[in-house]
Amino acid sequence: TVYALLVRVEQRGFVDVEAQACVVIGGGSIAERKVAALLGVGARITVIAPRTTAAITEWTRQGAIAHVARPYRPGDLVGQRLAFVATDDPDVTDAVADEAREWNVWVNAADDPGATGPRRAGRMARRRLRGPRRRRRRRAWRAGATRPVGDG
């Protein structure tokens, strides 16, 4: 889950988002889960989406988060610490990833793990959990090994 990812990343000292500006691009169910996780770690959240779920609308009404009712546009990551892209539009994902590189913002894209950053916050945490043995096995399999490579 996003919350577990943030906790793992935070425990390793990479990203502390408590009271930090974070943005979620998108307003659907995936964005809702990411907002809930960010609320759980005390982030200051802005959602950028033309439409949102009922829960995101309610959090906005309560003042827990800010909502900008329009699609993403360049410049939305300025001043942000962490960005989540929760849209099904690869052009938006690419644009956010490019801007994140420019502004050195950590980014996690729900539909494209390769676009994570500053680059690769989510991917780094998952790699550490996998460990070197699993990567070695996967490389051997891709190279055409007929049996799994052992741990020794």
Side-chain angles (χ1 to χ4, degrees):
T1 67
V2 174
Y3 177 74
L5 171 65
L6 288 174
V7 169
R8 282 193 302 266
V9 170
E10 192 171 77
Q11 286 171 346
R12 287 175 170 44
F14 291 123
V15 179
D16 178 11
V17 297
E18 184 177 355
Q20 298 292 319
C22 299
V23 65
V24 177
I25 312 294
S29 60
I30 294 171
E32 181 180 317
R33 287 194 307 268
K34 294 178 185 296
V35 169
L38 288 167
L39 285 170
V41 295
R44 289 183 300 125
I45 306 158
T46 300
V47 173
I48 299 174
R51 294 172 305 283
T52 62
T53 64
I56 291 174
T57 302
E58 181 62 21
W59 288 322
T60 302
R61 190 189 65 70
Q62 294 171 355
I65 65 172
H67 174 229
V68 179
R70 62 164 170 76
Y72 163 82
R73 59 182 154 197
D76 284 343
L77 300 189
V78 174
Q80 303 295 325
R81 173 91 164 138
L82 176 68
F84 284 99
V85 185
T87 71
D88 56 0
D89 185 343
D91 292 335
V92 171
T93 301
D94 292 343
V96 172
D98 290 344
E99 185 177 355
R101 276 186 223 95
E102 179 182 342
W103 294 106
N104 200 30
V105 173
W106 290 79
V107 63
N108 180 280
D111 67 337
D112 183 8
T116 59
R119 278 239 326 169
R120 298 178 172 18
R123 192 179 239 186
M124 284 170 38
R126 285 191 296 274
R127 271 199 193 131
R128 287 211 169 93
L129 291 176
R130 287 182 186 149
R133 286 184 235 154
R134 184 168 174 181
R135 282 195 302 271
R136 201 169 42 235
R137 287 183 189 140
R138 187 176 35 213
R139 268 184 277 188
W141 177 79
R142 285 182 182 156
T146 55
R147 60 186 177 82
V149 175
D151 292 339

